[in-house]
């Protein structure tokens, strides 16, 4: 049996178990078999959160064509469905399956590369005076009670500031029992962390995270352990399969009181796994699949055409191999140079938990594609997360490994947590703090990432290596919208790894990233 078929069987079994049991559950009961352990308290809180003022689903096109483009910051982004157009009426991805009027399409839209850019969230707010179910208090507001209480436009806008300024959704997760760390709240700008209804007193903390794209999902394979044709799902890898993800999104984001049926789950997953999205046109370079270029979603959908796998290290991106002077124009040549920098410019990687602990510290011959190595999409074929040091206090690190990681410190508009860990338990990190006579290594962050799922100090600050397609359509970047632009993102890497990029190198790299 192929990997893919095996995983489908396993997921189908899990779902059957989950769905039958869920239908009988009352609100007070938790402990749903077949769903991840972190999920029951999240579902309980979702169902208790206030409803939005309107449960009228937002505008949905009648059909998603086989091929369609929309304009974005630097050109056009396109989505291609090899199996043909999809009628949205009656399709589970586009149907409100819960109680608040939301569908998957509320947050995953083609003009944002099937994610949701901050500007798209603002446009929806302006069109609907903030009444679209996107802004449902459960997680479209910074905290449910302030979201529900907001009356005026100004109050609504303030209550959903994370969504409107960064495209961030509130992600709330329990601190796992038996965790190696203790959590303390250092800053609570929205009062949600200390809330007796939604906060740490209930065992739950809130983070604010970017919507991930729900496209190119079949190009995400990951070697083990565990072997996974789907790769890590969610920023913190917390979902075991796209099927469980669909169920949890329906119960959580859409505040459903019963799980979707297996048929609905399969229909939604079939739709999203049939999508291929990438930038198709660049305002300066022209068609990204013209003049020998292999960009655009059609080549992406055809495994084996644009792929020239390197036998040793996959070079991830080959789309713009042919674009050189004097045959091609200056804008195309810049994209080609950016691709070369991404795949071959080496730097020394130091202090990255999830990489240097395995590959050696320091590791001298790293490139961007050392981590972003999956062909054409740039996720990581090696499982596990990587700790880059975004939105945390790596600057306070006394181990000497992370000291350049001050480029994207914790953002003041987000809560800040202290994770107090046994001394020496966080790889490449040291920040001794004595509390009540006991010394801990204290890690401060706006988002603990995978550490909150595993309960392990070694996983704090680790995030999955995301796919890089359609970037021009979905600013801002990184898990919490920490980099407003790709220039800022490239500056972060240049500082973090002392790469020594020139101004021209940075521009080439940005032009390349905008073409993916
Ligand atoms: C309220 C907005 C919202 C709604 C509604 C929503 N999502 Fe998402 N989606 C997100 C956010 C935010 C993330 C990232 C969260 C995280 O990693 O913790 C995400 C992540 C995902 C991912 C993970 C992609 C990856 O590469 O790991 C998939 C797949 C996905 N959503 C599909 C769906 C489906 C299917 C539905 C409908 C059942 C849905 N989403 C409904 C906001 C939403
Ligand atoms: C150590 C592994 C590693 C290396 C090396 C690396 N990345 Fe990343 N990359 C990641 C991880 C992990 C994330 C997600 C981080 C987060 O959001 O906290 C990420 C995120 C990104 C994103 C944002 C995607 C999004 O959806 O917001 C871009 C763009 C990106 N990387 C480009 C690059 C470039 C360019 C380089 C080389 C200069 C590079 N990366 C080197 C691991 C790596």
């Amino acid at each position: 049996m192929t990997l893919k078929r095996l995983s489908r069987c396993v997921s189908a079994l899990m779902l059957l178990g989950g769905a039958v049991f869920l239908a009988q559950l009352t609100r007070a009961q938790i402990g749903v078999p077949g769903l991840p352990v972190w999920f029951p308290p999240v579902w309980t809180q979702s169902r208790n959160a206030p409803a939005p003022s309107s449960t009228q689903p937002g505008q949905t096109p009648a059909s998603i064509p086989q091929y369609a483009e929309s304009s974005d910051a630097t050109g056009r982004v396109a989505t291609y469905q090899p199996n043909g157009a999809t009628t949205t009426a009656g399709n589970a991805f586009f149907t409100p399956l819960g109680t608040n009027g939301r569908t998957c399409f509320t947050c995953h839209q083609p003009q944002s590369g099937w994610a949701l850019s901050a500007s798209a969230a603002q446009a929806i707010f302006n069109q609907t005076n903030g009444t679209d179910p996107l802004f449902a208090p459960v997680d479209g507001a910074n905290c449910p009670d302030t979201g529900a209480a907001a009356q005026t436009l100004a109050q609504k806008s303030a209550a959903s500031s994370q969504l409107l300024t960064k495209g961030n959704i509130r992600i709330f997760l329990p601190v796992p029992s038996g965790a190696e760390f203790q959590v303390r709240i250092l800053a609570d700008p929205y009062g949600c962390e200390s809330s007796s209804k939604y906060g740490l007193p209930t065992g739950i903390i809130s983070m604010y995270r970017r919507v991930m794209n729900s496209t190119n999902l079949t190009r995400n394979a990951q070697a083990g352990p565990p072997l996974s044709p789907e790769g890590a799902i969610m920023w913190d890898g917390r979902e075991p399969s796209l099927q469980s993800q669909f169920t949890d999104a329906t119960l959580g984001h859409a505040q459903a009181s019963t799980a979707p049926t297996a048929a609905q789950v399969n229909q939604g997953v079939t739709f999203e796994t049939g999508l291929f999205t990438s930038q198709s046109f660049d305002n300066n370079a022209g068609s990204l699949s013209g003049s020998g270029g292999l960009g655009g979603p059609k080549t992406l959908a055809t495994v084996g055409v644009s792929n020239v796998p390197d036998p040793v290290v996959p070079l991830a991106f080959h789309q713009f191999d042919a674009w050189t002077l004097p045959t091609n124009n200056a804008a195309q040549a810049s994209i080609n140079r950016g691709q070369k920098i991404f795949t071959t410019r080496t730097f020394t990687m130091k202090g990255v938990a999830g990489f240097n602990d395995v590959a050696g510290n320091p590791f001298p011959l790293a490139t961007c594609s050392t981590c972003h190595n999956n062909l054409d999409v740039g996720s990581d074929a090696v499982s596990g997360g990587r700790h880059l040091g975004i939105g945390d206090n790596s600057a306070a690190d006394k181990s000497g490994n992370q000291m350049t990681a001050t480029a994207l410190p914790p953002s003041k508009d987000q809560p800040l947590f202290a994770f107090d860990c046994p001394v020496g338990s966080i790889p490449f990190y040291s920040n001794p703090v004595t509390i009540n006579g006991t010394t801990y290594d204290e890690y401060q962050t706006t988002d603990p990432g995978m550490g909150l799922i595993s309960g392990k100090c070694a996983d704090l600050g680790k995030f999955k290596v995301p796919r890089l397609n359609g970037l021009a359509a979905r600013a801002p970047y990184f898990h919490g919208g920490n980099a407003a632009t790709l220039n800022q993102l490239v500056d972060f890497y240049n500082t973090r790894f002392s790469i020594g990029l020139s101004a021209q190198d940075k521009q080439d790299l940005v032009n390349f990233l905008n073409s993916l």
Side-chain angles (χ1 to χ4, degrees):
M1 194 184 290
T2 65
L3 245 183
K4 199 168 213 158
R5 295 222 324 267
L6 181 70
S7 108
R8 281 211 190 111
C9 288
V10 172
S11 318
L13 278 176
M14 273 184 28
L15 264 162
L16 270 178
V20 169
F21 204 81
L22 273 177
Q24 300 159 2
L25 267 185
T26 66
R27 183 169 292 181
Q29 288 173 296
I30 51 170
V32 184
L35 288 175
V37 285
W38 52 263
F39 186 72
V42 171
W43 186 34
T44 303
Q45 195 188 103
S46 297
R47 291 198 295 172
N48 285 326
S53 53
S54 164
T55 54
Q56 184 62 39
Q59 275 181 6
T60 308
S63 157
I64 304 296
Q66 180 173 42
Y67 181 89
E69 296 186 328
S70 36
S71 54
D72 63 21
T74 58
R76 296 201 291 271
V77 67
T79 290
Y80 174 59
Q81 300 179 83
N83 302 326
T86 300
T87 303
T88 59
N91 184 296
F93 194 92
F94 302 88
T95 305
L97 299 174
T99 57
N100 62 14
R102 278 180 173 170
T103 71
C104 307
F105 191 77
T106 304
C107 297
H108 296 276
Q109 305 202 355
Q111 76 280 9
S112 293
W114 294 99
L116 190 76
S117 66
S119 57
Q122 283 159 19
I124 295 169
F125 186 89
N126 293 339
Q127 280 154 20
T128 64
N129 289 329
T131 62
D132 190 278
L134 172 61
F135 305 100
V138 59
D139 58 9
N142 303 333
C143 199
D145 281 347
T146 16
Q151 298 287 329
T152 65
L153 209 55
Q155 286 167 342
K156 284 190 168 128
S157 157
S160 291
S161 63
Q162 282 293 316
L163 181 48
L164 291 169
T165 60
K166 295 184 169 168
N168 285 342
I169 295 293
R170 186 176 72 100
I171 300 295
F172 43 103
L173 291 167
V175 177
S177 60
E180 289 172 5
F181 44 72
Q182 287 170 42
V183 188
R184 290 189 298 127
I185 302 159
L186 301 179
D188 184 14
Y190 309 118
C192 219
E193 310 300 341
S194 37
S195 156
S196 59
K197 249 164 130 179
Y198 302 107
L200 194 53
T202 71
I204 284 182
I205 63 172
S206 297
M207 285 78 52
Y208 299 89
R209 291 188 186 163
R210 293 285 296 119
V211 178
M212 301 199 90
N213 57 26
S214 61
T215 182
N216 302 331
L217 291 162
T218 57
R219 300 297 310 275
N220 220 22
Q222 207 165 65
L227 278 170
S228 163
E230 295 166 336
I233 302 170
M234 315 308 268
W235 282 110
D236 52 13
R238 70 184 180 279
E239 287 288 0
S241 69
L242 290 172
Q243 286 76 6
S244 75
Q245 195 282 332
F246 190 100
T247 301
D248 296 347
T250 302
L251 293 169
H253 296 306
Q255 298 178 280
S257 48
T258 54
T261 65
Q264 287 168 329
V265 171
N266 288 334
Q267 190 181 40
V269 172
T270 300
F271 171 72
E272 65 185 2
T273 52
L275 297 174
F276 295 89
T277 304
S278 89
Q279 194 78 347
S280 59
F281 184 89
D282 181 85
N283 288 338
N284 298 319
S287 167
L288 295 166
S289 50
S291 325
L294 289 171
K298 286 191 182 167
T299 40
L300 190 62
T302 324
V303 182
V305 173
S306 66
N307 299 343
V308 189
D310 185 287
V312 186
V313 182
L315 293 183
F317 297 104
H318 295 268
Q319 281 88 326
F320 307 110
D321 282 354
W323 278 7
T324 47
L325 297 170
T327 319
N328 293 92
N329 65 37
Q332 294 170 338
S334 166
I335 292 172
N336 168 282
R337 288 195 303 271
Q339 177 181 278
K340 236 179 237 149
I341 294 169
F342 191 95
T343 52
T344 63
R345 174 72 64 91
T346 55
F347 51 84
T348 296
M349 193 134 76
K350 204 161 85 153
V352 176
F355 182 85
N356 289 107
D357 28 7
V358 181
N361 191 43
F363 180 86
L365 293 174
T367 65
C368 301
S369 60
T370 300
C371 294
H372 294 280
N373 51 42
N374 245 333
L375 286 165
D376 295 339
V377 297
S379 53
D380 198 336
V382 181
S383 65
R386 318 280 174 255
H387 176 206
L388 287 173
I390 295 161
D392 67 21
N393 71 332
S394 297
D397 173 25
K398 296 173 184 67
S399 73
N401 278 301
Q402 285 260 351
M403 58 191 190
T404 56
T406 54
L408 290 172
S411 179
K412 294 257 183 290
D413 59 347
Q414 294 184 352
L416 187 67
F417 307 99
F419 287 80
D420 293 313
C421 284
V423 171
S425 62
I426 308 174
F428 314 119
Y429 183 86
S430 159
N431 182 32
V433 167
T434 300
I435 302 164
N436 297 334
T438 306
T439 303
Y440 302 91
D441 265 337
E442 183 169 288
Y443 173 70
Q444 298 179 3
T445 185
T446 52
D447 191 332
M450 295 186 178
L452 193 64
I453 306 304
S454 69
K456 292 201 166 77
C457 288
D459 291 335
L460 288 169
K462 286 185 185 170
F463 290 89
K464 91 160 183 177
V465 180
R467 295 178 301 283
L468 302 180
N469 313 97
L471 289 165
R474 54 182 177 88
Y477 308 101
F478 288 137
H479 63 267
N482 312 65
T485 62
L486 288 173
N487 296 72
Q488 216 181 330
L489 176 140
V490 165
D491 280 340
F492 164 79
Y493 279 113
N494 195 37
T495 310
R496 171 69 179 85
F497 294 124
S498 309
I499 306 177
L501 297 171
S502 68
Q504 184 65 52
D505 292 341
K506 288 182 188 175
Q507 191 57 57
D508 291 343
L509 199 46
V510 167
N511 291 347
F512 165 67
L513 292 170
N514 273 323
S515 307
L516 288 175

